[in-house]
Amino acid sequence: MEEQQPIESTDIVEEMETSYIDYAMSTIVARAIPDVRDGLKPVQRRLLYSMEELSATPSAQHRKSARVVGETMGKYHPHGDQSLYDALARMAQDFSTRYLLVDGQGNFGSVDGDPPAAMRYTETRLTDISAAMLDDIDRDTVEFIDNFDGTAEMPEVLPSVVPNLLLNGSTGIAVGMATSMPPHNLREVGKAIEHYIEDPEATSNDLMRHVRGPDFPTAGIIVGDEGIEQAYTQGRGRVTVRAKVTREEVRGDTEALVVSELPYMVNKANLVERIASLVRDKVIVGVRDIRDESDRHGMRVVLELRSDARPPAVLNQLYKHTALQTTFSINNLALVDGQPEQLSLRRLVELFVQHRQQVIRNRTEFDLRKAEARAHLLAGYAVALEHIDEVIKINRSANDTRSASNELMQRFELTEVQANAILDMQLRRLVRLERDQINAE
């Protein structure tokens, strides 16, 4: 009969608190909050790394989305295939992502809320920007960690030559906290980084001379700058975003309001339906007809007005009652050394620059190790070529490779690496051109 293990008493309140905190931190770190260095959540990072392993580069042919999802799910991210595909599709949607990280081929949804086609129909590959984020990953630039079962390794973070967190922003809801970071313009962010490198004491207000505000993929117009200043200096703020609406004459003297840009994350089909409903209920007056004339050339929603309508008054009603005007809450929350931190613009730029400095240092050390190893081999080759007749004699008289290696090490004061390289040296190395090349190197 097996010996029973002693039962330990635990306070249930303390156990619940500890377990809940562990669960919350796991959700924060492993799912919802991006890393400040590459601006990616784990699922996004693993998808991009899998595409790199599948050679789905910008110059290669597209790969089936199902293949990418299956590779990622089987090796790095053991979660549901639909959640993986949703993350992959979002990186390919030009209405969701400011600078696309995935080049999609097929139906990846629309601003009207249409879902992407099934993953067996769509195809993907890396874009130039995501490929740049993976540059030099094979040169010991970042740490690699074990996957979920220890059968493979994956990068803890990407080298990321581009400041992806500032460029594309991020949204995520964890346990007890959330992140909501807007995207920005690449040129503006680049100038801010250049400013910081030249002046490491620069403040967020200094950098705001270059980064004037968010740059949403669906465009729109930001009203006022108070919320932007709060977000960039304190890490949290609210901005008001309006659709771009112009006045046009249609059918003679009839005027129309034409919507060509929407606030970020507004569903166009739902917006048109909402406006039509408010017009029927006479909450919005002065609109005669609503037409969605959007096509592959761009967005165009036409609100034809009655002859007695006042366009500014109708527009104010639309801003008040519909999503033609929304607020975007900015909460610059990201993981810094594995811990969530609310970040100002200066802090975001500073942490990215520090990451790149570390990546460049690691890459340089890797290149130095390779150059030193090569120089070590060439020094051995030079010794062998100088005493080539004796080397050949040792090889011929040796009983096996091990004894030949030992004899070379003792005779010419070589290392084991050099001795083995000499034994593996091809006969073409004996010609004058090859010898001259070794000496030149």
Side-chain angles (χ1 to χ4, degrees), residues 9 57 250 293 345 373 388 414 432:
S9 297
T57 58
V250 293
E293 299 178 355
L345 176 60
I388 190 63
L414 302 172
R432 182 178 298 278

Side-chain angles (χ1 to χ4, degrees), residues 180 182 214 216 222-232 234-241 325-332:
S180 178
F216 297 108
I222 296 176
V223 181
D225 58 7
E226 182 180 351
I228 296 175
E229 185 175 356
Q230 289 180 349
Y232 289 166
Q234 303 171 23
R236 183 189 290 267
R238 289 165 63 90
V239 296
T240 300
V241 187
Q325 176 174 300
T326 65
T327 58
F328 185 90
S329 296
I330 299 175
N331 185 17
N332 294 332

Side-chain angles (χ1 to χ4, degrees), residues 2 20 52 63 69 85-86 160 229 240 377:
E2 294 185 4
Y20 190 77
E52 167 78 7
R63 298 287 191 274
V69 169
Y85 185 49
D86 289 344
S160 193
E229 185 175 356
T240 300
L377 285 182

Side-chain angles (χ1 to χ4, degrees), residues 95-116:
F95 54 88
S96 297
T97 305
R98 178 64 181 86
Y99 295 97
L100 297 182
L101 301 179
V102 170
D103 176 14
Q105 187 167 272
N107 173 20
F108 280 90
S110 72
V111 73
D112 289 322
D114 302 313

Side-chain angles (χ1 to χ4, degrees), residues 91-206:
M91 292 189 286
Q93 295 172 339
D94 59 4
F95 54 88
S96 297
T97 305
R98 178 64 181 86
Y99 295 97
L100 297 182
L101 301 179
V102 170
D103 176 14
Q105 187 167 272
N107 173 20
F108 280 90
S110 72
V111 73
D112 289 322
D114 302 313
M119 69 180 81
R120 63 182 179 274
Y121 297 123
T122 61
E123 297 180 340
T124 56
R125 64 182 177 187
L126 296 171
T127 62
D128 289 332
I129 283 186
S130 56
M133 293 176 66
L134 287 151
D135 272 352
D136 299 325
I137 199 168
D138 57 345
R139 294 166 71 180
D140 290 354
T141 50
V142 293
E143 291 290 331
F144 274 69
I145 57 177
D146 287 339
N147 68 341
F148 57 91
D149 61 359
T151 58
E153 288 190 329
M154 57 187 177
E156 184 182 35
V157 68
L158 298 188
S160 193
V161 72
V162 296
N164 179 60
L165 189 57
L166 279 165
L167 297 187
N168 281 320
S170 185
T171 57
I173 300 175
V175 178
M177 60 182 61
T179 185
S180 178
M181 303 183 66
H184 295 88
N185 183 272
L186 174 59
R187 288 185 176 88
E188 293 182 359
V189 173
K191 289 177 181 177
I193 292 173
E194 184 179 356
H195 184 131
Y196 172 80
I197 292 172
E198 293 176 352
D199 179 16
E201 301 301 321
T203 64
S204 292
N205 286 316
D206 294 331

Side-chain angles (χ1 to χ4, degrees), residues 46-62:
R46 293 164 188 174
L47 283 165
L48 295 180
Y49 182 63
S50 292
M51 294 174 74
E52 167 78 7
E53 286 197 312
L54 291 171
S55 298
T57 58
S59 59
Q61 66 179 19
H62 290 78

